[in-house]
Amino acid sequence: MVVFAAQGDPRRSMSLLWREKSGDRIKKGPGPKPGLSVDLIVETAISLADERGLPALSMRSVGESLGRTAMALYTYVPSKTELLDLMYDSVHAELPVRYDTGAGWRAALTEWAEDLWRFYLRHPWVLQVSQARPVLGPHEYAGLDAVLGIVTETGMAARRIPPTIGVLFHFVKGAARNVAEARQAGQLTGVSDEDWWFPRSAMLDEVAPDFEARFPVVAKLASEGAFDVDHDSEGSYLEREGRQAFEAGLVLVLDGLEKAAERGPAT
């Protein structure tokens, strides 16, 4: 499922995203119920998406979580479109805005990647929000500024930094998506990874007796333990496999970045 954010009226959306704190004071509603605010609505929507995913998100479901009707929310947030923008940017406030590069840019970038990895797994719905239409909110920019501050320490030429940042984000997001989907698969299908995988893998000898001849490289690497996963770690085997791929891939990406940085700013 891919969701396109930033689809509302530009002036209305950007005004809400970049609102002044003074403009977000709690407004009192009628009756004994506590007043609402943009922040309260957004926080509630984020909790709902974290727990039940984006398909469960609607103005009505958020209103019900707050003990209000959907109509009561429209005074603060015009529609679900603007709500998604606010959720996406607001949740990015969890990410650090500065990293210490005293131990070198590589150590700082490793810390950044770990932070982003954990962030995506805390809020897997964020992975479904397409960057084809970026939200352009302040917290997302703060996160971008933080990683840019690290990469500039490599001495790389300015024009080479944006594509480098793109590679880093794509790598972490892709690795986290694999684990997030592994977690969701069991919940949504009612079948665990083990219960899905082992009956099928056990049938390979029956349905493909010539497997090793047809796929010799796969068979050779399997015999050498290339596809073995650490079974002492927590989570399903697909989660463990995803974590191992993230760790190994990050080393490869940073090795490549280090070589590129060694070539100097002019290349």
Side-chain angles (χ1 to χ4, degrees), residues 34-173:
L36 294 176
S37 70
V38 173
D39 285 344
L40 180 59
I41 293 169
V42 171
E43 289 166 8
T44 302
I46 289 170
S47 296
L48 185 63
D50 286 345
E51 181 181 352
R52 298 166 53 191
L54 284 183
L57 182 71
S58 68
M59 297 297 279
R60 179 178 179 179
S61 62
V62 176
E64 288 175 348
S65 296
L66 290 165
R68 300 296 185 96
T69 65
M71 291 300 296
L73 308 186
Y74 292 129
T75 301
Y76 304 86
V77 181
S79 74
K80 180 182 172 180
T81 296
E82 286 81 10
L83 178 59
L84 180 62
D85 293 353
L86 291 167
M87 292 167 58
Y88 183 85
D89 189 66
S90 178
V91 79
H92 276 79
E94 295 180 12
L95 293 169
V97 297
R98 292 287 182 275
Y99 284 89
D100 182 4
T101 57
W105 63 261
R106 182 163 182 148
L109 210 50
T110 299
E111 184 181 355
W112 169 85
E114 290 279 359
D115 285 340
L116 191 61
W117 162 272
R118 289 189 291 269
F119 167 76
Y120 284 140
L121 294 183
R122 282 196 306 274
H123 308 289
W125 58 270
V126 172
L127 295 165
Q128 296 175 290
V129 180
S130 173
Q131 286 299 290
R133 298 290 187 272
V135 172
L136 304 179
H139 297 304
E140 188 176 18
Y141 270 117
L144 176 61
D145 199 67
V147 68
L148 285 170
I150 301 172
V151 177
T152 55
E153 293 291 318
T154 65
M156 202 179 267
R159 63 184 176 80
R160 294 172 58 198
I161 291 177
T164 299
I165 296 296
V167 169
L168 290 166
F169 270 106
H170 283 305
F171 166 71
V172 179
K173 183 174 287 189

Side-chain angles (χ1 to χ4, degrees), residues 179-198:
V179 172
E181 290 177 355
R183 289 180 178 178
Q184 293 166 354
Q187 298 171 0
L188 297 178
T189 66
V191 180
S192 70
D193 293 338
E194 287 75 11
D195 288 343
W196 179 91
W197 177 259
F198 290 118

